[in-house]
Structure formats: structure tokens, C-alpha cells
Amino acid sequence: MAESKEEDVRLGANKFTEKQPLGTAAQSDKDYKEAPPAPLFEPGELKSWSFYRAGIAEFMATFLFLYITILTVMGVSRSPNKCASVGIQGIAWAFGGMIFALVYCTAGISGGHINPAVTFGLFLARKLSLTRAVFYIVMQCLGAICGAGVVKGYMVGPYERLNGGANFVNHGYTKGSALGAEIIGTFVLVYTVFSATDAKRNARDSHVPILAPLPIGFAVFLVHLATIPITGTGINPARSLGAAIIYNRAHAWHDHWIFWVGPFIGAGLAAIYHQIVIRAIPFKSSRAC
């Protein structure tokens, strides 16, 4: 009787073999095809409502991002000591948490960039046209200015007294170290964006559920923990510009270039690393030819 059952199990196992491999073995040409690069200029976008809707989504997301995060920074700065507030960890959570929430909300509309450095990196990877990239960056900067402006409207006196959440190179650090912190911090963020939204990875690892905004928000949180003591953490030129314009004091502009040059270099390096080293896309294109 026992031998009969064993024979049934053996026959059943042979009859119903595993036909769908998992993990890397599951990747095939049928699962994924490389998307064509976005055109450099796309005049037709200017006639599409979805183009303007995406820009409005970027504006609103960056507005809300600056509103919540600068308000958190002001709350910590007003406290008599860090233990009486959420402290640096709370600021980092505010930035990371808002990115998680806002990317989740806007990813299906605009891609959820909320950061000119992210837009620049994706543009270098030919994920969007120059037309859309410029439009996104303008809307992000306008949203950031409005978000910081609303916070100042709540607390004009404390806002001016507490530096308005603007980014500076803090005492004890050089401009070179601040620039390096911005480059590496933005590299971490943009590389995470590429990895979390990689269509090939999603096709290959479809059996592993992943919510793209989660690693992106967590990357922002970790970078803030590391670099708040150095620069207050920029890694987002729109965030730095919005706070600097509304605060508008001379020392807010002394090192402002760092918060554009650093993030753009970091985003460019992340795009090159992901597209050329990790994905080897130029080499695939040459083989296809």
C-alpha cells in the first residue's frame, strides 16, 4: 500500500512539472523589451493635456513637500533643545516620508520626480524629452517657492530669525566637503530611483512585490540623517531655491551654487552608472545594429 502511494506521488511529480522558472531564470525576451529612448524635442507634447497635467502634479507635489518639510524644520529650530522636538531624526523622517507619499500619489501622472536632479538624471537616460524636463524643473521650482512662502506666512518673525530652512555650509565644513556631500547624497537618491523603477528588474522579479516609492523615500531619509549636519541636506535644487528665495538673505546665496552643481553632478553620475555599467544599454544598442 505504501509503495503504491509513493508511485502515485512520483508519477504526479513527473506529470505536473514546474514550467515557470523563478528569479533570474524567469527573464526572457518575451518578458521585457527595452523601451525606445525619448526624443530630444517633442513639440506634440505641448498640445496634450496630459503634459500640462503632469506639470501641475509636479508643482503641487513640490509645494506640499516644501510646506511640510520646512514647517518641520521651523518647529525643531524653535524648540529650546532637540529633546523637546522631533530632532534631526524627525526632520529626516519628514523629508523621506513626504517623498514616499508624494511619489506614490504622482508616479502615475508625472513620474513623481519632485526634484530637478531626478528629472535631470532621467533626461540623461533618455527617459523623457528635453521639453518635458525643462517644464518639470520650472514647475518644481515654482511649487517650492510657493510652499516655503506659505510657511513664512504662518510665522514671519521666527522664519526670518531661524534662517527659513535655507541650506548653508555649516561651521566646521569646507565648501569642498559640502559639494561632495551633495554629490554623493544625490547619487544615492537618483541611483535608487533608477533601480526601483527599472522595468527590466520588475519583469525579472515580478514574483517579488516592491513598492517603488518606499526605497526612494527611505533613501531620502538616510541621506538626510547623514548630511543634515553638513549642509542641512539639499539633494534637491528646487527645495534649496524655494527656501533661499523666500528667506532672501545674503548668506543664503553665498554657497547656493553648491546645491545646484552638486545634485546635478550626482544625478549625472547615477544615470551613467545605471545605464552604462549596470544595464550596459549602449553596448546592447551597438549589438542590435
Side-chain angles (χ1 to χ4, degrees):
M1 187 69 177
E3 292 179 358
S4 177
K5 289 184 178 179
E6 290 178 2
E7 182 68 14
D8 290 342
V9 171
R10 186 179 63 80
L11 291 174
N14 291 333
K15 183 178 180 180
F16 301 103
T17 57
E18 178 61 66
K19 298 183 183 296
Q20 179 59 48
L22 300 178
T24 304
Q27 177 61 34
S28 70
D29 293 338
K30 294 181 180 180
D31 295 322
Y32 174 78
K33 290 185 179 180
E34 197 71 52
L40 188 60
F41 296 100
E42 186 62 45
E45 289 183 319
L46 301 177
K47 301 177 182 179
S48 170
W49 163 242
S50 63
F51 175 78
Y52 297 99
R53 180 182 62 185
I56 293 170
E58 288 293 310
F59 172 89
M60 284 302 301
T62 317
F63 168 82
L64 294 173
F65 178 61
L66 265 287
Y67 170 75
I68 293 296
T69 55
I70 298 298
L71 205 56
T72 304
V73 171
M74 291 294 97
V76 172
S77 300
R78 293 185 69 179
S79 301
N81 59 74
K82 294 295 186 290
C83 294
S85 67
V86 295
I88 289 179
Q89 292 87 348
I91 294 175
W93 274 120
F95 278 88
M98 281 303 292
I99 288 296
F100 168 72
L102 293 171
V103 170
Y104 180 83
C105 292
T106 60
I109 303 170
S110 65
H113 297 190
I114 323 173
N115 185 336
V118 171
T119 300
F120 178 68
L122 293 173
F123 165 70
L124 290 182
R126 303 293 300 276
K127 302 294 185 183
L128 71 164
S129 67
L130 178 62
T131 312
R132 186 175 291 265
V134 171
F135 183 49
Y136 276 15
I137 291 173
V138 170
M139 297 301 283
Q140 290 158 359
C141 290
L142 290 175
I145 293 167
C146 293
V150 171
V151 175
K152 182 177 180 179
Y154 282 172
M155 47 177 77
V156 177
Y159 188 91
E160 299 288 351
R161 188 173 66 254
L162 301 172
N163 298 326
N167 291 117
F168 310 94
V169 178
N170 290 324
H171 294 295
Y173 295 95
T174 65
K175 293 182 180 182
S177 60
L179 180 62
E182 289 295 308
I183 291 173
I184 296 173
T186 312
F187 180 92
V188 171
L189 169 60
V190 178
Y191 177 46
T192 304
V193 170
F194 274 110
S195 298
T197 59
D198 190 336
K200 181 177 181 181
R201 178 176 181 173
N202 292 337
R204 183 190 67 201
D205 298 332
S206 58
H207 63 290
V208 180
I210 182 170
L211 186 63
L214 182 59
I216 296 171
F218 199 62
V220 171
F221 165 70
L222 293 174
V223 171
H224 275 76
L225 282 183
T227 60
I228 282 176
I230 304 173
T231 61
T233 308
I235 69 170
N236 185 333
R239 171 261 186 272
S240 301
L241 179 67
I245 286 179
I246 299 301
Y247 180 55
N248 199 27
R249 293 292 184 271
H251 59 283
W253 297 106
H254 287 164
D255 304 316
H256 186 70
W257 63 271
I258 291 173
F259 302 101
W260 283 86
V261 174
F264 273 66
I265 292 175
L269 292 174
I272 292 170
Y273 177 68
H274 184 268
Q275 296 295 98
I276 297 178
V277 178
I278 301 299
R279 294 292 309 282
I281 288 178
F283 306 105
K284 293 177 182 177
S285 300
S286 62
R287 286 199 301 268
C289 296

